[in-house]
Amino acid sequence: MEVEGYIVDIDYWQFRGTMSIRLFVKSSDGKPFALYDPSFKPYFYVLPNDWKNSGIIESTRVMDSGKELKVVSSEVVEKSLNGPNKKFIKVFVESPSSVPKLAAHMSRYGTCYESDIPFARRYGIDKDITPLVPYSFVAEEAEDGIIIKEMHKLDNQIDLRLNTMHFDIETYNPLGFPRPEKDPVIMISYSYVSNGKAGNAVMSTKRINRDFAQFFEDEASMIKGFMSKVSELDIDVVSGYNSANFDIKYLIERSKALGFDFNLSRFDGDTRIEKHGLVEKVKIGGRVHIDMYLVVKFIAVVGAAESILKLNSYKLKDVYDAISEDEKLTVEKTKGQKWKDINELWTGSDDDLCLLADYNLSDSESLKKIYDYFIPIMIEMSRVSGNVINDTSVSTTGQLVEYLLMRYAQAFNEIIPNKPDEREIRARLMNPIEGAYVKTPDPGIYENLSILDFRGLYPSIIIAHNIDPSSLCDSCTEYYESPSGYKFDKNRKSIVPTILQLMINERKEVKKQYKKNPGNIFLGSRSQALKITANSFYGYLGYARSRWYSRECASSVTAYGRQYIQETIQSAESAGFKVIYGDTDSIVILLGDKTEEDTLKFMREFNSKLPGAMELELEDFYTRAVFVGKKSEKGPSGAKKKYAMISKSGHIKIRGFELVRRDWSKIARDTQREVLEIILREGDAEKAAMLVKNVIKRLRAGEVPISELAIHTQLRKSMDSYDSNSPELAASRKAFDSGLKTKEELEHAVISYVITKKGSTISDKAQLEEVAKDYDPEYYINHQIIPATMRILKELDFKEEELSNEGSQKKL
């Protein structure tokens, strides 16, 4: 048989008496297949201490729980290790579980490599698989399964036709925190798109007067009904929100308490929770699970969505409200009266039940919108890295870069380095790498400026100077020597520069296509995915836990970066511009009596002298900017990464101010933003000051809503492990002592608190937002509003006392 489709996931399963690679493929006509490849065998490499004893390695036998583990076959291969080629023994074994055990035993005879790579990943690396792109498969059908004979990538496009389900559960927990061994699941909502049809429902063990409500006689039949619905709708992707840590985990444990296994698998398989680095992931045989909570956090960290950068929390409602034009339904807003929790609604009136069902369904519907909004970037991150989307959705950028390097190591015939042990990690951390050069600004208001920055400075430095652990050399005749004194062979084709050059070239082409077709969301997402991945390579080279860690490489990149930005500043000033700020890869220049054309001419002349892919670009021309100061031991100076500008087109760029931090109240952040906008757009200092005065008056009059005064801070440890009593800790302890919250609800959570009137210290006055009845206006004036706005207004010669007294009129 021949099938065209795309690979959704890879795992391994028992097939004909042995563990075999299994590919989950979605065909071009929407049909799912499980294809087996029993020909692929697990293996690892050994570099013997003494080749005279190599026979011992090949004849190794290890007993494990009464079963003999042995080498099936071996061969001598030549591969590169940190530059030079060496001979290794490639050891093939019977099953994936034998690899780490045999490798541990053989470590007494030599150094083992690539023994910690999971079997399914090993297959993806060796076969150079790219998920979610078109493939052609030639396979043989048999009674016990379908066996792959051949597969190759196709140039044509196939639409992704993934059937998706987004779900949420509600539990009854009278003690305030759910216990899966005792507390029942009371509702399961879902929203789906399957084979071109869409729908939703709420499953419940109570009858509810809603058209979308489905009644089940008991909890077990409801959970089993959910499992059946996933199968009936032929779902490919199951998504939840914090579902790896709660919903799926709870359903697994609760089902066990009820006497059956919770399993959403398609074909053979199970549903389980696995560790993936520092987070947990859900593995469902034949389907993909995506926890959108982890996806949203990833997107926020890499800065791929402006809408969520300023969020105080990643709660489902907050994320939904940030990306949507309407607000997500909540119990409190819908009720409009006394707030009731889930338990009260469940045991309340028919209207309460209807409200709870509406709320439960809104979670799934909101999740669907969040999934649709963010999934294109994750699909493209998966395609760029080669990692299956189930793993991509729980990965950091460093983990994605590492997998990409593994794939290229195979293509370059290089051994994948081992992970460092804890001793090596500590040694790396004790020897930090010098960072970027910063020219701090003189605080003040400036007009008629431009920003010039290097396009992908660190990636372009790596490419231009062939920076890679394998190209480091001492005796090579043609080399690049970095400002930190390390030499890189000019004539060696190396992995990292090769990958980066391919990415930069592809991104140029993708951006051209996207410009012609701006409605193609996947082109835009691919451009972002390529940029995110390329910009992560430098950080990975300098990351203490990296397989490819190289202090020589990372320090050379930053040394070149400092050299080039300093040369840019010197050249700009020699050309008659005044450089007021420089940081890492960009400079801010005052045009003065120079024209915009003069700026572009300088840029062209400077670029003509740069090597390789390096290029200085114009970010934009700006009409006005605010740079603020900071206090230091040497006296006041300009602050780095803290400024605001307005471009000729009216776009405001803000960096480093409190308005992007969640540990400042909304009233402080909003006031600061409005002050910045007045100064940048209108140049009216007095109007900006008057705005602050009016906010202070509103605070003292008690007119500001409690919600605008909440400060959000995460409790990063258990409550008992803190030495000092911070406001968020004090508020949490009060809530726990009063029985309002449990430790499970508070510890490691984002705490929203308000400074109230009652108490002698700030910590005494701190109360959780939901119980705060008043606020201390003087705290918010003196510790929030004035500090946030005086950082700007002091550059206009305002004094703090002028904000509460009439001052003379000031103009820029």
Side-chain angles (χ1 to χ4, degrees):
M1 64 178 290
E2 292 188 19
V3 176
E4 284 191 5
Y6 42 88
I7 297 167
V8 179
D9 200 12
I10 310 172
D11 69 1
Y12 57 93
W13 198 254
Q14 191 81 13
F15 183 75
R16 295 182 178 175
T18 187
M19 286 297 176
S20 173
I21 287 292
R22 180 171 61 172
L23 304 184
F24 294 108
V25 173
K26 197 76 185 289
S27 70
S28 55
D29 62 0
K31 185 177 179 182
F33 289 92
L35 307 182
Y36 290 88
D37 189 349
S39 67
F40 189 77
K41 302 300 180 185
Y43 68 87
F44 60 98
Y45 296 96
V46 183
L47 180 63
N49 295 329
D50 186 348
W51 274 93
K52 294 177 183 178
N53 298 324
S54 61
I56 298 175
I57 294 172
E58 296 168 358
S59 60
T60 295
R61 299 283 192 278
V62 174
M63 295 302 296
D64 181 62
S65 301
K67 182 181 178 182
E68 185 182 61
L69 308 181
K70 61 182 181 179
V71 176
V72 173
S73 64
S74 65
E75 59 181 339
V76 177
V77 297
E78 192 170 294
K79 293 177 81 73
S80 169
L81 177 62
N82 296 326
N85 282 2
K86 296 182 180 182
K87 288 184 177 180
F88 297 82
I89 299 176
K90 188 176 184 179
V91 179
F92 292 91
V93 300
E94 291 179 319
S95 71
S97 61
S98 300
V99 171
K101 295 168 184 175
L102 283 168
H105 184 80
M106 291 182 192
S107 62
R108 68 191 69 181
Y109 308 119
T111 305
C112 297
Y113 291 93
E114 304 192 16
S115 61
D116 60 348
I117 299 174
F119 190 36
R121 283 193 157 207
R122 173 87 271 171
Y123 187 82
I125 291 165
D126 286 24
K127 299 294 184 180
D128 191 28
I129 286 174
T130 304
L132 305 176
V133 302
Y135 273 82
S136 174
F137 303 90
V138 177
E140 176 185 301
E141 288 189 89
E143 288 186 6
D144 54 350
I146 305 173
I147 302 171
I148 297 173
K149 295 298 183 183
E150 299 175 27
M151 65 174 172
H152 61 269
K153 292 176 189 174
L154 299 174
D155 293 330
N156 61 302
Q157 296 296 315
I158 298 176
D159 288 339
L160 284 177
R161 298 174 59 184
L162 295 172
N163 297 335
T164 60
M165 176 181 281
H166 319 279
F167 83 103
D168 178 68
I169 71 170
E170 302 294 346
T171 62
Y172 180 70
N173 42 88
L175 295 186
F177 60 95
R179 303 160 297 171
E181 70 278 6
K182 292 185 177 181
D183 297 328
V185 178
I186 55 176
M187 284 185 185
I188 305 175
S189 67
Y190 61 85
S191 176
Y192 70 87
V193 176
S194 175
N195 297 318
K197 296 182 180 179
N200 58 40
V202 170
M203 298 175 161
S204 177
T205 54
K206 287 187 177 182
R207 298 187 187 277
I208 302 172
N209 187 25
R210 286 287 188 264
D211 292 339
F212 55 76
Q214 300 172 351
F215 170 70
F216 291 84
E217 292 290 346
D218 54 47
E219 182 189 4
S221 62
M222 178 181 65
I223 296 174
K224 290 176 181 178
F226 177 66
M227 291 160 49
S228 298
K229 184 59 67 173
V230 171
S231 177
E232 173 193 325
L233 293 172
D234 200 21
I235 296 300
D236 302 305
V237 179
V238 178
S239 88
Y241 205 79
N242 198 31
S243 45
N245 192 47
F246 181 69
D247 301 74
I248 293 287
K249 182 181 287 187
Y250 200 90
L251 286 168
I252 290 172
E253 295 177 5
R254 184 62 188 153
S255 297
K256 193 171 294 183
L258 293 171
F260 64 94
D261 290 330
F262 179 77
N263 193 359
L264 298 178
S265 292
R266 174 198 273 158
F267 311 120
D268 293 323
D270 57 5
T271 299
R272 62 187 183 275
I273 309 290
E274 296 179 348
K275 288 294 290 183
H276 185 91
L278 299 176
V279 301
E280 291 183 320
K281 74 171 184 179
V282 176
K283 189 70 178 174
I284 303 173
R287 307 187 205 276
V288 170
H289 171 265
I290 297 181
D291 190 332
M292 290 307 299
Y293 173 72
L294 296 176
V295 169
V296 167
K297 288 187 72 176
F298 174 88
I299 297 293
V301 167
V302 301
E306 191 73 25
S307 59
I308 63 170
L309 288 179
K310 302 175 182 65
L311 287 184
N312 294 322
S313 76
Y314 298 122
K315 292 178 181 177
L316 180 65
K317 176 189 178 341
D318 295 330
V319 176
Y320 178 83
D321 291 350
I323 67 167
S324 176
E325 293 180 357
D326 56 340
E327 283 191 59
K328 180 191 173 300
L329 174 69
T330 65
V331 172
E332 184 176 8
K333 281 187 177 295
T334 306
K335 196 68 180 174
Q337 300 173 356
K338 179 183 179 296
W339 181 79
K340 294 184 179 181
D341 65 19
I342 301 298
N343 302 318
E344 290 176 297
L345 293 172
W346 179 248
T347 57
S349 65
D350 289 344
D351 287 344
D352 287 336
L353 277 176
C354 289
L355 172 57
L356 182 55
D358 292 341
Y359 168 71
N360 185 217
L361 185 62
S362 78
D363 278 356
S364 293
E365 288 287 298
S366 299
L367 178 58
K368 178 183 181 299
K369 190 161 188 174
I370 291 171
Y371 174 92
D372 291 340
Y373 191 88
F374 290 118
I375 202 62
I377 184 69
M378 300 312 296
I379 289 172
E380 292 303 333
M381 291 297 297
S382 181
R383 288 168 170 168
V384 166
S385 68
N387 218 348
V388 293
I389 195 165
N390 198 57
D391 287 345
T392 300
S393 66
V394 295
S395 293
T396 63
T397 53
Q399 289 167 332
L400 296 176
V401 166
E402 182 169 277
Y403 187 73
L404 189 56
L405 283 167
M406 287 180 173
R407 292 174 65 200
Y408 274 82
Q410 181 71 12
F412 273 62
N413 197 40
E414 292 192 8
I415 284 287
I416 296 170
N418 287 330
K419 292 179 180 178
D421 58 27
E422 289 302 318
R423 179 190 58 79
E424 190 173 359
I425 291 168
R426 285 195 297 272
R428 293 173 178 180
L429 291 171
M430 291 291 289
N431 193 15
I433 295 163
E434 185 180 352
Y437 170 77
V438 177
K439 174 183 171 61
T440 56
D442 291 329
I445 311 295
Y446 297 88
E447 296 186 359
N448 197 19
L449 324 89
S450 68
I451 295 182
L452 303 178
D453 60 9
F454 283 95
R455 184 181 63 194
L457 177 63
Y458 286 174
S460 64
I461 285 173
I462 291 170
I463 294 167
H465 304 92
N466 202 33
I467 296 175
D468 186 279
S470 69
S471 62
L472 276 164
C473 62
D474 292 320
S475 57
C476 48
T477 56
E478 292 186 284
Y479 55 82
Y480 301 101
E481 184 170 356
S482 74
S484 51
Y486 298 110
K487 298 175 182 177
F488 298 92
D489 192 339
K490 283 187 176 182
N491 300 313
R492 180 179 177 86
K493 189 178 168 96
S494 302
I495 295 178
V496 175
T498 298
I499 296 174
L500 288 173
Q501 186 65 71
L502 290 170
M503 285 186 164
I504 286 172
N505 291 345
E506 183 183 354
R507 187 162 185 252
K508 282 182 182 177
E509 186 57 37
V510 169
K511 287 174 77 173
K512 287 180 186 176
Q513 296 175 27
Y514 187 49
K515 197 170 182 179
K516 295 176 184 176
N517 187 9
N520 188 324
I521 191 171
F522 283 97
L523 283 176
S525 295
R526 185 160 189 84
S527 177
Q528 278 191 313
L530 289 164
K531 179 181 178 181
I532 291 165
T533 309
N535 287 341
S536 300
F537 272 81
Y538 157 72
Y540 181 76
L541 289 172
Y543 176 50
R545 297 182 179 275
S546 163
R547 291 178 186 267
W548 271 270
Y549 173 87
S550 171
R551 192 175 195 284
E552 299 91 338
C553 290
S555 64
S556 293
V557 172
T558 55
Y560 271 122
R562 293 191 297 273
Q563 173 183 296
Y564 283 116
I565 200 68
Q566 287 171 329
E567 287 179 1
T568 309
I569 292 171
Q570 291 166 6
S571 297
E573 291 184 337
S574 296
F577 295 96
K578 179 175 175 57
V579 179
I580 60 172
Y581 180 56
D583 185 5
T584 309
D585 61 354
S586 63
I587 62 171
V588 180
I589 62 176
L590 282 180
L591 271 61
D593 58 1
K594 297 282 188 179
T595 65
E596 293 180 3
E597 180 53 41
D598 291 333
T599 305
L600 298 174
K601 180 183 177 183
F602 160 73
M603 192 174 65
R604 288 192 295 268
E605 291 176 351
F606 187 80
N607 281 336
S608 67
K609 303 170 188 175
L610 290 173
M614 296 191 66
E615 184 179 355
L616 192 65
E617 293 182 312
L618 172 73
E619 181 187 285
D620 211 339
F621 291 104
Y622 295 86
T623 57
R624 188 174 289 127
V626 178
F627 286 88
V628 299
K630 68 172 183 176
K631 293 180 180 179
S632 68
E633 293 179 359
K634 299 178 182 179
S637 65
K640 63 180 183 179
K641 297 185 187 295
K642 200 157 196 171
Y643 58 87
M645 300 181 176
I646 185 167
S647 69
K648 288 181 65 179
S649 63
H651 173 72
I652 290 180
K653 176 178 182 175
I654 298 174
R655 293 292 180 269
F657 283 98
E658 283 72 21
L659 55 90
V660 297
R661 290 174 49 185
R662 70 185 181 192
D663 56 349
W664 284 71
S665 63
K666 184 176 185 297
I667 188 72
R669 287 183 280 118
D670 288 352
T671 305
Q672 188 184 71
R673 175 181 285 278
E674 290 179 51
V675 165
L676 283 171
E677 291 196 359
I678 290 170
I679 291 173
L680 292 174
R681 294 189 189 280
E682 304 175 39
D684 191 336
E686 186 62 33
K687 182 176 179 180
M690 184 56 66
L691 169 77
V692 178
K693 293 176 184 179
N694 287 336
V695 171
I696 290 173
K697 288 178 182 178
R698 287 178 58 221
L699 280 165
R700 286 184 171 143
E703 296 173 355
V704 178
I706 293 289
S707 60
E708 293 187 25
L709 301 166
I711 300 167
H712 311 276
T713 305
Q714 185 175 13
L715 278 187
R716 300 190 179 277
K717 300 185 293 184
S718 63
M719 289 194 291
D720 297 331
S721 62
Y722 284 89
D723 295 327
S724 58
N725 191 27
S726 62
E728 63 271 17
L729 181 61
S732 299
R733 283 175 171 160
K734 290 171 196 170
F736 173 71
D737 291 342
S738 66
L740 178 67
K741 296 278 187 181
T742 64
K743 280 191 175 182
E744 288 78 6
E745 291 175 294
L746 294 166
E747 292 178 344
H748 306 290
V750 174
I751 305 301
S752 298
Y753 65 92
V754 173
I755 304 303
T756 63
K757 293 179 178 179
K758 186 178 179 182
S760 57
T761 67
I762 291 175
S763 292
D764 286 343
K765 296 178 178 183
Q767 294 280 2
L768 290 191
E769 177 187 358
E770 57 225 70
V771 298
K773 298 293 189 296
D774 56 33
Y775 62 85
D776 179 357
E778 296 308 314
Y779 168 82
Y780 285 95
I781 292 167
N782 296 315
H783 296 277
Q784 295 266 312
I785 300 300
I786 288 180
T789 57
M790 277 305 299
R791 298 185 185 206
I792 307 156
L793 293 175
K794 71 179 179 182
E795 310 305 340
L796 303 173
D797 297 325
F798 272 96
K799 301 292 187 292
E800 287 188 20
E801 54 270 21
E802 291 183 82
L803 297 182
S804 55
N805 297 295
E806 292 300 322
S808 59
Q809 186 174 8
K810 293 180 175 65
K811 290 286 184 182
L812 296 185

